[in-house]
Amino acid sequence: MAIVRGVLARLPRSWRAMLHRHRELVKFAVVGGVCFVLTNLVNYGLKFTVLSAKPVVALGTAVLISTVVSYVLSREWSFRTRGGRERSHEAALFFLISGIGIGINALPLAVSRWVLHLEVPYVGLFTQEAADFVSGIILGTLITTVFRWWAFTRWVFPRSDARQHDSRRNRALPEDHEKHAA
């Protein structure tokens, strides 16, 4: 937290105010960034080893793993004060929407490979990999991110301030402070 405060302190006041107003979106973007890196590590780890002949399966698997991580981070950090649903219902909706997101994420890659034939032997290996990255990782992720933000705030975590979240500073009960003061 000290690192975040240090970075924020260096920003102009207008930027700090904007980031504070949109902190939920900023946190969602940070979780997305973490999961983006995780997706790439898993995707390319699988694609260049055991799933070299199945790039869409490699990407789908990577996105699935990142989705589980995303749920935990989203619920406990990005949307920690949002809710309005029973936890099991919330989780089911999160994974349903994320499942739709996996399909959305894979669609540009599938079009690139199977409709546009941007794959070996029709193009060189470098062109294939560049097309895979742009279509599957960049375009698919951008489209899916917009969809997930909209769907999560509308259906999964619909009410802001639905859950109270204790920060480290507020964990002690008020009567504990009175006891220590006496």
Side-chain angles (χ1 to χ4, degrees):
M1 205 57 158
I3 294 171
V4 172
R5 286 192 186 116
V7 169
L8 289 174
R10 297 185 199 297
L11 294 175
R13 180 173 280 167
S14 61
W15 281 64
R16 283 192 309 251
M18 182 202 53
L19 290 173
H20 183 70
R21 268 193 321 274
H22 301 289
R23 66 185 168 275
E24 196 172 74
L25 180 59
V26 171
K27 289 178 179 182
F28 178 79
V30 169
V31 169
V34 167
C35 291
F36 178 80
V37 170
L38 179 62
T39 299
N40 280 304
L41 289 172
V42 174
N43 177 50
Y44 285 108
L46 292 173
K47 187 175 173 178
F48 292 132
T49 59
V50 297
L51 291 175
S52 60
K54 298 181 179 184
V56 175
V57 174
L59 180 62
T61 302
V63 171
L64 181 61
I65 291 168
S66 292
T67 300
V68 172
V69 172
S70 175
Y71 175 68
V72 173
L73 293 176
S74 292
R75 185 173 201 297
E76 299 303 323
W77 190 55
S78 298
F79 300 115
R80 73 179 185 204
T81 61
R82 287 175 87 65
R85 303 203 181 278
E86 213 175 282
R87 189 174 210 165
S88 59
H89 189 209
E90 176 187 274
L93 284 172
F94 185 94
F95 288 106
L96 174 65
I97 289 167
S98 295
I100 294 167
I102 289 171
I104 292 170
N105 201 346
L107 189 59
L109 176 60
V111 169
S112 175
R113 282 286 183 118
W114 301 328
V115 175
L116 301 177
H117 300 289
L118 294 174
E119 61 183 336
V120 173
Y122 306 109
V123 297
L125 183 61
F126 179 79
T127 302
Q128 171 186 288
E129 294 308 313
D132 284 0
F133 184 79
V134 170
S135 63
I137 301 298
I138 303 296
L139 188 58
T141 299
L142 286 174
I143 294 168
T144 303
T145 299
V146 171
F147 167 73
R148 287 169 44 114
W149 169 258
W150 171 76
F152 288 167
T153 57
R154 181 171 174 105
W155 290 307
V156 180
F157 307 107
R159 290 185 23 229
S160 60
D161 297 328
R163 294 189 293 154
Q164 295 297 324
H165 186 78
D166 294 331
S167 67
R168 289 181 187 169
R169 291 171 280 177
N170 298 331
R171 292 208 187 225
L173 297 174
E175 58 264 15
D176 289 342
H177 291 293
E178 292 171 10
K179 288 177 189 175
H180 288 70

PDB file of all heavy atoms in Angstrom, residues 82-85 152-160:
ATOM      1  N   ARG A  82     -18.760  -4.297  -3.331  1.00  0.00           N
ATOM      2  CA  ARG A  82     -19.953  -4.537  -4.145  1.00  0.00           C
ATOM      3  C   ARG A  82     -20.493  -5.930  -3.865  1.00  0.00           C
ATOM      4  O   ARG A  82     -19.793  -6.793  -3.393  1.00  0.00           O
ATOM      5  CB  ARG A  82     -19.627  -4.411  -5.639  1.00  0.00           C
ATOM      6  CG  ARG A  82     -19.404  -2.978  -6.072  1.00  0.00           C
ATOM      7  CD  ARG A  82     -18.969  -2.869  -7.496  1.00  0.00           C
ATOM      8  NE  ARG A  82     -19.993  -2.816  -8.508  1.00  0.00           N
ATOM      9  CZ  ARG A  82     -20.884  -1.852  -8.668  1.00  0.00           C
ATOM     10  NH1 ARG A  82     -20.955  -0.870  -7.822  1.00  0.00           N
ATOM     11  NH2 ARG A  82     -21.719  -1.863  -9.668  1.00  0.00           N
ATOM     12  N   GLY A  83     -21.716  -6.121  -4.200  1.00  0.00           N
ATOM     13  CA  GLY A  83     -22.312  -7.441  -4.022  1.00  0.00           C
ATOM     14  C   GLY A  83     -23.796  -7.377  -4.288  1.00  0.00           C
ATOM     15  O   GLY A  83     -24.232  -6.837  -5.284  1.00  0.00           O
ATOM     16  N   GLY A  84     -24.545  -7.899  -3.346  1.00  0.00           N
ATOM     17  CA  GLY A  84     -25.984  -7.912  -3.500  1.00  0.00           C
ATOM     18  C   GLY A  84     -26.530  -9.275  -3.866  1.00  0.00           C
ATOM     19  O   GLY A  84     -27.720  -9.443  -4.059  1.00  0.00           O
ATOM     20  N   ARG A  85     -25.646 -10.251  -3.942  1.00  0.00           N
ATOM     21  CA  ARG A  85     -26.064 -11.611  -4.274  1.00  0.00           C
ATOM     22  C   ARG A  85     -25.466 -12.583  -3.269  1.00  0.00           C
ATOM     23  O   ARG A  85     -24.452 -12.309  -2.652  1.00  0.00           O
ATOM     24  CB  ARG A  85     -25.587 -11.992  -5.671  1.00  0.00           C
ATOM     25  CG  ARG A  85     -26.072 -11.058  -6.751  1.00  0.00           C
ATOM     26  CD  ARG A  85     -26.056 -11.757  -8.085  1.00  0.00           C
ATOM     27  NE  ARG A  85     -26.501 -10.877  -9.134  1.00  0.00           N
ATOM     28  CZ  ARG A  85     -27.778 -10.641  -9.425  1.00  0.00           C
ATOM     29  NH1 ARG A  85     -28.719 -11.215  -8.742  1.00  0.00           N
ATOM     30  NH2 ARG A  85     -28.094  -9.843 -10.408  1.00  0.00           N
ATOM     31  N   PHE A 152     -20.040  -7.663 -15.134  1.00  0.00           N
ATOM     32  CA  PHE A 152     -19.775  -7.808 -13.701  1.00  0.00           C
ATOM     33  C   PHE A 152     -20.479  -6.731 -12.896  1.00  0.00           C
ATOM     34  O   PHE A 152     -21.077  -7.014 -11.870  1.00  0.00           O
ATOM     35  CB  PHE A 152     -18.279  -7.771 -13.406  1.00  0.00           C
ATOM     36  CG  PHE A 152     -17.519  -8.987 -13.836  1.00  0.00           C
ATOM     37  CD1 PHE A 152     -16.138  -8.957 -13.865  1.00  0.00           C
ATOM     38  CD2 PHE A 152     -18.145 -10.161 -14.215  1.00  0.00           C
ATOM     39  CE1 PHE A 152     -15.407 -10.067 -14.256  1.00  0.00           C
ATOM     40  CE2 PHE A 152     -17.436 -11.271 -14.611  1.00  0.00           C
ATOM     41  CZ  PHE A 152     -16.060 -11.228 -14.632  1.00  0.00           C
ATOM     42  N   THR A 153     -20.387  -5.477 -13.356  1.00  0.00           N
ATOM     43  CA  THR A 153     -21.019  -4.406 -12.588  1.00  0.00           C
ATOM     44  C   THR A 153     -22.538  -4.429 -12.717  1.00  0.00           C
ATOM     45  O   THR A 153     -23.236  -3.939 -11.842  1.00  0.00           O
ATOM     46  CB  THR A 153     -20.477  -3.025 -13.001  1.00  0.00           C
ATOM     47  OG1 THR A 153     -20.668  -2.839 -14.403  1.00  0.00           O
ATOM     48  CG2 THR A 153     -19.011  -2.889 -12.635  1.00  0.00           C
ATOM     49  N   ARG A 154     -23.031  -5.028 -13.779  1.00  0.00           N
ATOM     50  CA  ARG A 154     -24.486  -5.088 -13.955  1.00  0.00           C
ATOM     51  C   ARG A 154     -25.116  -6.294 -13.256  1.00  0.00           C
ATOM     52  O   ARG A 154     -26.172  -6.174 -12.647  1.00  0.00           O
ATOM     53  CB  ARG A 154     -24.803  -5.122 -15.444  1.00  0.00           C
ATOM     54  CG  ARG A 154     -26.285  -5.161 -15.717  1.00  0.00           C
ATOM     55  CD  ARG A 154     -26.571  -4.966 -17.185  1.00  0.00           C
ATOM     56  NE  ARG A 154     -27.963  -5.147 -17.446  1.00  0.00           N
ATOM     57  CZ  ARG A 154     -28.803  -4.153 -17.679  1.00  0.00           C
ATOM     58  NH1 ARG A 154     -28.373  -2.930 -17.690  1.00  0.00           N
ATOM     59  NH2 ARG A 154     -30.061  -4.399 -17.915  1.00  0.00           N
ATOM     60  N   TRP A 155     -24.487  -7.472 -13.349  1.00  0.00           N
ATOM     61  CA  TRP A 155     -25.121  -8.686 -12.854  1.00  0.00           C
ATOM     62  C   TRP A 155     -24.414  -9.374 -11.693  1.00  0.00           C
ATOM     63  O   TRP A 155     -25.053  -9.911 -10.813  1.00  0.00           O
ATOM     64  CB  TRP A 155     -25.288  -9.700 -13.992  1.00  0.00           C
ATOM     65  CG  TRP A 155     -26.322  -9.281 -14.985  1.00  0.00           C
ATOM     66  CD1 TRP A 155     -27.614  -8.927 -14.732  1.00  0.00           C
ATOM     67  CD2 TRP A 155     -26.141  -9.158 -16.380  1.00  0.00           C
ATOM     68  NE1 TRP A 155     -28.241  -8.586 -15.906  1.00  0.00           N
ATOM     69  CE2 TRP A 155     -27.357  -8.730 -16.936  1.00  0.00           C
ATOM     70  CE3 TRP A 155     -25.056  -9.378 -17.230  1.00  0.00           C
ATOM     71  CZ2 TRP A 155     -27.543  -8.511 -18.289  1.00  0.00           C
ATOM     72  CZ3 TRP A 155     -25.234  -9.156 -18.579  1.00  0.00           C
ATOM     73  CH2 TRP A 155     -26.467  -8.726 -19.098  1.00  0.00           C
ATOM     74  N   VAL A 156     -23.096  -9.424 -11.701  1.00  0.00           N
ATOM     75  CA  VAL A 156     -22.385 -10.194 -10.673  1.00  0.00           C
ATOM     76  C   VAL A 156     -22.267  -9.410  -9.376  1.00  0.00           C
ATOM     77  O   VAL A 156     -22.570  -9.914  -8.299  1.00  0.00           O
ATOM     78  CB  VAL A 156     -20.983 -10.628 -11.167  1.00  0.00           C
ATOM     79  CG1 VAL A 156     -20.259 -11.417 -10.085  1.00  0.00           C
ATOM     80  CG2 VAL A 156     -21.102 -11.455 -12.430  1.00  0.00           C
ATOM     81  N   PHE A 157     -21.817  -8.176  -9.473  1.00  0.00           N
ATOM     82  CA  PHE A 157     -21.648  -7.310  -8.302  1.00  0.00           C
ATOM     83  C   PHE A 157     -22.506  -6.055  -8.519  1.00  0.00           C
ATOM     84  O   PHE A 157     -21.986  -4.953  -8.695  1.00  0.00           O
ATOM     85  CB  PHE A 157     -20.172  -6.913  -8.144  1.00  0.00           C
ATOM     86  CG  PHE A 157     -19.213  -8.073  -8.122  1.00  0.00           C
ATOM     87  CD1 PHE A 157     -18.390  -8.335  -9.211  1.00  0.00           C
ATOM     88  CD2 PHE A 157     -19.110  -8.897  -7.004  1.00  0.00           C
ATOM     89  CE1 PHE A 157     -17.491  -9.394  -9.196  1.00  0.00           C
ATOM     90  CE2 PHE A 157     -18.218  -9.959  -6.982  1.00  0.00           C
ATOM     91  CZ  PHE A 157     -17.408 -10.209  -8.079  1.00  0.00           C
ATOM     92  N   PRO A 158     -23.837  -6.195  -8.497  1.00  0.00           N
ATOM     93  CA  PRO A 158     -24.712  -5.108  -8.950  1.00  0.00           C
ATOM     94  C   PRO A 158     -24.821  -3.911  -8.000  1.00  0.00           C
ATOM     95  O   PRO A 158     -25.064  -2.805  -8.455  1.00  0.00           O
ATOM     96  CB  PRO A 158     -26.073  -5.786  -9.105  1.00  0.00           C
ATOM     97  CG  PRO A 158     -26.037  -6.919  -8.141  1.00  0.00           C
ATOM     98  CD  PRO A 158     -24.609  -7.384  -8.135  1.00  0.00           C
ATOM     99  N   ARG A 159     -24.656  -4.120  -6.714  1.00  0.00           N
ATOM    100  CA  ARG A 159     -24.862  -3.027  -5.766  1.00  0.00           C
ATOM    101  C   ARG A 159     -23.535  -2.546  -5.188  1.00  0.00           C
ATOM    102  O   ARG A 159     -22.797  -3.319  -4.597  1.00  0.00           O
ATOM    103  CB  ARG A 159     -25.777  -3.479  -4.631  1.00  0.00           C
ATOM    104  CG  ARG A 159     -27.203  -3.685  -5.067  1.00  0.00           C
ATOM    105  CD  ARG A 159     -28.168  -4.013  -3.942  1.00  0.00           C
ATOM    106  NE  ARG A 159     -27.749  -3.580  -2.628  1.00  0.00           N
ATOM    107  CZ  ARG A 159     -27.753  -4.373  -1.557  1.00  0.00           C
ATOM    108  NH1 ARG A 159     -28.132  -5.621  -1.654  1.00  0.00           N
ATOM    109  NH2 ARG A 159     -27.380  -3.907  -0.388  1.00  0.00           N
ATOM    110  N   SER A 160     -23.280  -1.258  -5.337  1.00  0.00           N
ATOM    111  CA  SER A 160     -22.092  -0.708  -4.689  1.00  0.00           C
ATOM    112  C   SER A 160     -22.384  -0.556  -3.201  1.00  0.00           C
ATOM    113  O   SER A 160     -23.533  -0.391  -2.799  1.00  0.00           O
ATOM    114  CB  SER A 160     -21.712   0.627  -5.315  1.00  0.00           C
ATOM    115  OG  SER A 160     -22.769   1.547  -5.182  1.00  0.00           O
TER     116      SER A 160
END
